[in-house]
Amino acid sequence: MANALQEQLLKAGLASKQKVRDVKTQKRRDKKSRIDDGSSAFKQEVAEQKRLQALKDKALNEQRFAEASERGQVRGLITEFTKSAIKIPAYAEVKFNYTLDNKIYSLYIDEKLQAELLKGQLGIVRYEDKSYLVPHKLAERVKLLVPQWCGYLWQQDESKAVVVEDDPYADYAIPDDLMW
């Protein structure tokens, strides 16, 4: 039934078998070589914009780092967070995961430190393959000067802080054991 028109044209003598084969072959070739120019051009343009933005951000970060290094702020920051780092208990059982540069790092802490991290009172700074638990204000300063060292810093997003009035689960508490 799909080729009823072709069969009618063949019976009427208006088309030949060779012409039908050529049309099928041409259709198949067109289908294989069909490229959506509009969407691929748009995707390439977006990818190029992202690449340029990443280069711009990297240059800005390097400039900030160079300026801070000249003023000795980075060296002072390193000594400050190594001295004011909170000691991690030796026998902590809670595993706290955080990401830095698309890598997942784990840190074993106790429940008190976990609660402080999740409330935003502490942050994690990773320097020379070692993680430091530092106060939130110090972690913010590290993030401003050297963002590639700041491993975990809890921040409240005003855009996500929308309260839903008709939330059916508002009366239920969220369990504390939901960790990834």
Side-chain angles (χ1 to χ4, degrees):
M1 288 312 248
N3 295 328
L5 181 61
Q6 287 179 355
E7 290 175 11
Q8 289 176 3
L9 291 173
L10 281 172
K11 286 181 184 177
L14 297 173
S16 67
K17 288 184 178 183
Q18 182 61 37
K19 187 68 173 170
V20 170
R21 273 187 255 138
D22 290 344
V23 169
K24 285 183 180 179
T25 305
Q26 189 62 36
K27 266 184 155 179
R28 191 174 61 246
R29 285 182 184 163
D30 289 345
K31 192 174 182 180
K32 273 188 169 180
S33 67
R34 184 179 301 162
I35 300 172
D36 189 10
D37 293 334
S39 66
S40 66
F42 178 71
K43 287 179 184 177
Q44 288 176 350
E45 184 179 322
V46 169
E48 182 66 21
Q49 287 177 350
K50 284 183 180 180
R51 188 184 65 81
L52 291 174
Q53 184 65 35
L55 289 173
K56 190 178 184 182
D57 291 345
K58 186 176 180 181
L60 183 62
N61 285 340
E62 288 174 356
Q63 179 186 359
R64 283 184 187 163
F65 185 74
E67 289 174 359
S69 295
E70 287 177 7
R71 294 184 296 219
Q73 288 180 341
V74 173
R75 205 172 329 113
L77 196 62
I78 292 170
T79 57
E80 186 174 353
F81 72 70
T82 54
K83 286 183 181 178
S84 66
I86 297 169
K87 185 166 173 38
I88 300 170
Y91 298 105
E93 295 181 4
V94 178
K95 184 176 181 182
F96 189 83
N97 295 319
Y98 65 96
T99 59
L100 181 65
D101 294 331
N102 295 326
K103 293 181 183 176
I104 298 175
Y105 295 98
S106 298
L107 188 64
Y108 285 93
I109 55 177
D110 60 4
E111 290 84 13
K112 180 185 172 205
L113 292 176
Q114 178 189 18
E116 289 178 2
L117 276 168
L118 295 177
K119 287 179 186 174
Q121 297 171 348
L122 295 178
I124 299 176
V125 174
R126 186 160 179 89
Y127 175 67
E128 292 184 351
D129 296 330
K130 189 171 181 187
S131 298
Y132 298 94
L133 284 172
V134 296
H136 184 77
K137 295 285 185 190
L138 183 58
E140 283 180 338
R141 288 196 2 237
V142 169
K143 187 171 186 168
L144 282 175
L145 287 176
V146 192
Q148 60 266 22
W149 290 351
C150 192
Y152 176 80
L153 182 63
W154 184 88
Q155 293 176 337
Q156 174 76 26
D157 291 338
E158 285 89 31
S159 62
K160 294 182 181 177
V162 177
V163 177
V164 179
E165 294 176 12
D166 297 334
D167 187 10
Y169 299 105
D171 296 334
Y172 298 101
I174 299 172
D176 290 338
D177 60 348
L178 291 178
M179 295 298 295
W180 53 278

